[in-house]
């Protein structure tokens, strides 16, 4: 993992600068290494073999807390920029384009088919054709629940305890303690003490 993090272009990416994402040999090698590790995790380890799963996650990712579950298949670009806090759960088909840091706090729940993309391209066609990209970090604070099919875009922070409805496209920061949904994702209400009462279930998301 340390070798993959030393690529000069990847260091530029983590600073939010334009960098050569498509033609730099060190980045191509780093992505290939990460994809091979993802492939082994997805297709070579039985779901019941949690010991091997945990060992592979710690090989793939920057930091993995205690009690983390990642259901295969899981894909990332580098892995070296992904941090998962204690008790975090990623359901099937999570994709993390971690050209910049992707940090998930403790007890974050991610439903199936979610994508966290730090990668962005210049509007200018000439620079896109040169293979240049930039990347902005994503931060998901503690106790967030993200519904099925959510897209989290570059530079977004989702505040502690918030719930993101299924199918949302999150292109701006979401504050703590709210329910937010839509394309683009917008706050629809705060989370209150009523939500702790029995029977207060919300059907706008999915595990």
């Amino acid at each position: 993992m340390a070798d993959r993090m030393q690529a000069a272009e990847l260091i530029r990416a983590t600073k939010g600068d334009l960098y050569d994402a498509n033609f730099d040999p060190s980045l191509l090698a780093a992505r290939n290494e990460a994809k091979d590790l993802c492939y082994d995790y997805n297709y070579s380890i039985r779901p019941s073999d949690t010991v091997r799963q945990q060992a592979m996650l710690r090989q793939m990712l920057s930091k993995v807390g205690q009690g983390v579950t990642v259901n295969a298949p899981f894909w990332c670009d580098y892995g070296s920029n992904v941090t998962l806090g204690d008790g975090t759960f990623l359901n099937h088909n999570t994709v993390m384009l971690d050209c910049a840091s992707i940090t998930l706090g403790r007890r974050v729940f991610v439903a199936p088919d979610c994508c966290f993309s730090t990668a962005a391209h210049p509007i200018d066609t000439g620079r896109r054709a040169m293979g240049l990209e930039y990347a902005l970090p994503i931060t998901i604070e503690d106790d967030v629940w993200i519904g099925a099919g959510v897209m989290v875009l570059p530079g977004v922070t989702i505040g502690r305890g918030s719930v993101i409805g299924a199918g949302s496209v999150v292109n701006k920061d979401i504050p703590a303690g709210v329910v937010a949904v839509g394309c683009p994702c917008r706050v629809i209400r705060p989370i209150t003490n009523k939500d702790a009462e029995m029977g207060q279930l919300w059907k706008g998301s999915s595990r």
Side-chain angles (χ1 to χ4, degrees):
M1 171 132 6
D3 291 342
R4 287 188 276 139
M5 294 183 71
Q6 295 307 312
E9 293 298 317
L10 187 54
I11 292 171
R12 291 190 183 94
T14 60
K15 293 179 178 179
D17 298 333
L18 282 173
Y19 72 103
D20 179 0
N22 293 287
F23 303 113
D24 180 77
S26 61
L27 288 192
L28 293 174
R31 287 201 297 272
N32 283 336
E33 180 183 349
K35 301 303 183 191
D36 283 348
L37 289 171
C38 288
Y39 183 92
D40 290 342
Y41 184 84
N42 294 332
Y43 304 116
S44 298
I45 303 176
R46 288 180 176 272
S48 59
D49 193 347
T50 56
V51 172
R52 285 188 64 201
Q53 282 183 335
Q54 291 297 310
M56 181 72 75
L57 284 175
R58 283 166 172 76
Q59 184 180 355
M60 275 197 295
L61 307 181
S62 175
K63 185 177 179 181
V64 178
Q66 297 299 311
V68 167
T69 299
V70 177
N71 284 343
F74 166 81
W75 295 100
C76 60
D77 268 352
Y78 300 99
S80 53
N81 289 319
V82 175
T83 297
L84 304 179
D86 294 346
T88 283
F89 175 87
L90 308 184
N91 217 325
H92 302 289
N93 297 315
T94 297
V95 175
M96 293 191 165
L97 306 183
D98 61 313
C99 310
S101 64
I102 299 177
T103 303
L104 275 61
R106 296 173 296 172
R107 300 175 299 277
V108 174
F109 286 10
V110 178
D113 299 315
C114 290
C115 178
F116 301 80
S117 176
T118 69
H121 302 274
I123 299 297
D124 171 64
T125 57
R127 286 185 292 178
R128 283 208 310 276
M130 292 169 63
L132 297 178
E133 294 182 9
Y134 65 97
L136 299 173
I138 290 171
T139 301
I140 313 298
E141 296 182 353
D142 296 349
D143 298 305
V144 168
W145 174 23
I146 295 178
V150 168
M151 304 283 292
V152 181
L153 300 185
V156 163
T157 294
I158 299 176
R160 180 172 184 158
S162 286
V163 175
I164 308 299
S168 296
V169 177
V170 189
N171 65 348
K172 293 182 180 178
D173 292 351
I174 301 296
V178 299
V179 175
V181 64
C183 181
C185 190
R186 293 185 176 89
V187 175
I188 60 172
R189 68 172 178 87
I191 295 172
T192 69
N193 291 336
K194 269 193 165 183
D195 293 301
E197 297 175 7
M198 290 296 293
Q200 289 294 324
L201 304 179
W202 185 48
K203 298 180 180 179
S205 197
S206 171
R207 94 179 211 35

Coordinates of all heavy atoms in Angstrom, one line a residue, residues 2 6 16 19 24 31 33 53 58 85 123 134-135 148 150 153 188 192 203:
A2 N 1.9 1.3 0.8 CA 2.8 2.5 0.9 C 3.3 2.8 -0.5 O 3.4 4.0 -0.9 CB 3.9 2.2 1.9
Q6 N 2.9 6.5 -3.0 CA 4.1 7.4 -3.3 C 4.1 8.0 -4.7 O 4.9 8.8 -5.0 CB 5.4 6.6 -3.1 CG 5.6 6.2 -1.6 CD 5.5 7.4 -0.7 OE1 6.0 8.4 -0.9 NE2 4.7 7.2 0.4
G16 N -5.9 18.0 -4.8 CA -6.9 18.6 -5.5 C -6.4 19.3 -6.8 O -7.1 20.0 -7.5
Y19 N -4.0 16.3 -12.5 CA -3.0 15.3 -12.5 C -3.3 14.4 -13.7 O -4.4 14.3 -14.2 CB -2.9 14.5 -11.2 CG -4.1 13.6 -11.0 CD1 -3.9 12.2 -11.2 CD2 -5.3 14.1 -10.6 CE1 -5.0 11.4 -11.0 CE2 -6.4 13.2 -10.3 CZ -6.2 11.9 -10.5 OH -7.3 11.0 -10.3
D24 N -0.1 8.1 -16.8 CA 1.0 8.0 -15.9 C 1.2 6.5 -15.5 O 0.3 5.8 -15.0 CB 0.8 8.8 -14.6 CG 2.0 8.7 -13.7 OD1 3.0 9.3 -13.9 OD2 1.9 7.9 -12.7
R31 N -3.5 1.2 -10.0 CA -4.9 0.8 -10.2 C -5.0 -0.7 -10.5 O -5.9 -1.4 -10.0 CB -5.5 1.7 -11.3 CG -5.9 3.1 -10.8 CD -6.9 3.7 -11.7 NE -6.5 3.9 -13.1 CZ -5.9 4.9 -13.6 NH1 -5.5 5.9 -12.7 NH2 -5.6 5.0 -14.8
E33 N -3.0 -3.0 -9.5 CA -2.8 -3.7 -8.3 C -4.0 -3.8 -7.4 O -4.4 -4.8 -6.9 CB -1.6 -3.1 -7.5 CG -1.3 -3.9 -6.2 CD -0.2 -3.2 -5.4 OE1 0.4 -2.3 -5.9 OE2 -0.1 -3.6 -4.2
Q53 N -11.3 -12.4 4.7 CA -11.9 -11.1 4.3 C -11.2 -9.9 5.0 O -10.8 -8.9 4.4 CB -13.4 -11.1 4.5 CG -14.2 -11.9 3.5 CD -15.7 -11.7 3.7 OE1 -16.1 -11.5 4.9 NE2 -16.5 -11.9 2.7
R58 N -7.6 -5.2 5.0 CA -6.5 -4.4 5.6 C -5.3 -4.3 4.6 O -4.5 -3.4 4.7 CB -6.0 -5.1 6.9 CG -7.0 -4.7 8.0 CD -6.9 -5.5 9.3 NE -7.7 -4.9 10.3 CZ -9.0 -5.1 10.4 NH1 -9.6 -5.8 9.5 NH2 -9.7 -4.5 11.4
G85 N -14.4 3.3 9.4 CA -14.4 3.4 10.8 C -15.0 2.1 11.4 O -15.7 1.3 10.7
I123 N -13.9 20.7 -17.6 CA -14.9 21.0 -18.6 C -14.3 21.1 -20.0 O -14.9 20.7 -21.0 CB -15.7 22.3 -18.2 CG1 -16.4 22.1 -16.8 CG2 -16.7 22.6 -19.3 CD1 -17.4 21.0 -16.8
Y134 N -9.0 15.9 -11.8 CA -8.8 16.4 -10.5 C -9.7 15.6 -9.5 O -10.6 14.9 -10.0 CB -9.0 17.9 -10.3 CG -10.4 18.4 -10.5 CD1 -11.2 18.6 -9.5 CD2 -10.9 18.6 -11.8 CE1 -12.5 19.1 -9.6 CE2 -12.2 19.1 -12.0 CZ -13.0 19.3 -10.9 OH -14.3 19.7 -11.1
A135 N -9.4 15.7 -8.3 CA -10.2 14.9 -7.3 C -10.3 15.7 -6.0 O -9.5 16.4 -5.6 CB -9.4 13.6 -7.0
A148 N -30.0 2.7 -0.9 CA -29.6 2.0 -2.1 C -29.4 2.9 -3.3 O -30.2 3.8 -3.5 CB -30.6 0.9 -2.5
V150 N -27.3 5.2 -4.2 CA -26.9 6.6 -4.0 C -25.5 6.9 -4.6 O -24.6 6.1 -4.6 CB -26.8 7.0 -2.5 CG1 -26.1 8.3 -2.2 CG2 -28.2 7.0 -1.9
L153 N -20.8 12.6 -4.8 CA -19.9 13.2 -5.8 C -18.7 13.9 -5.1 O -18.7 14.0 -3.9 CB -20.7 14.1 -6.6 CG -21.8 13.5 -7.4 CD1 -22.5 14.5 -8.4 CD2 -21.4 12.3 -8.2
I188 N -35.0 17.2 3.6 CA -36.4 17.3 3.6 C -36.9 17.5 5.0 O -38.0 18.0 5.2 CB -37.1 16.1 3.0 CG1 -36.7 14.8 3.6 CG2 -36.8 16.1 1.5 CD1 -37.5 13.6 3.1
T192 N -35.7 13.7 14.5 CA -36.2 14.2 15.8 C -36.4 13.0 16.8 O -36.2 11.8 16.4 CB -37.5 14.9 15.7 OG1 -38.6 14.0 15.3 CG2 -37.5 16.0 14.6
K203 N -39.5 4.4 4.5 CA -39.4 3.5 3.4 C -38.6 4.1 2.2 O -38.6 3.6 1.1 CB -40.8 3.1 2.9 CG -41.6 2.3 3.9 CD -43.0 1.9 3.4 CE -43.7 1.1 4.5 NZ -45.1 0.7 4.1

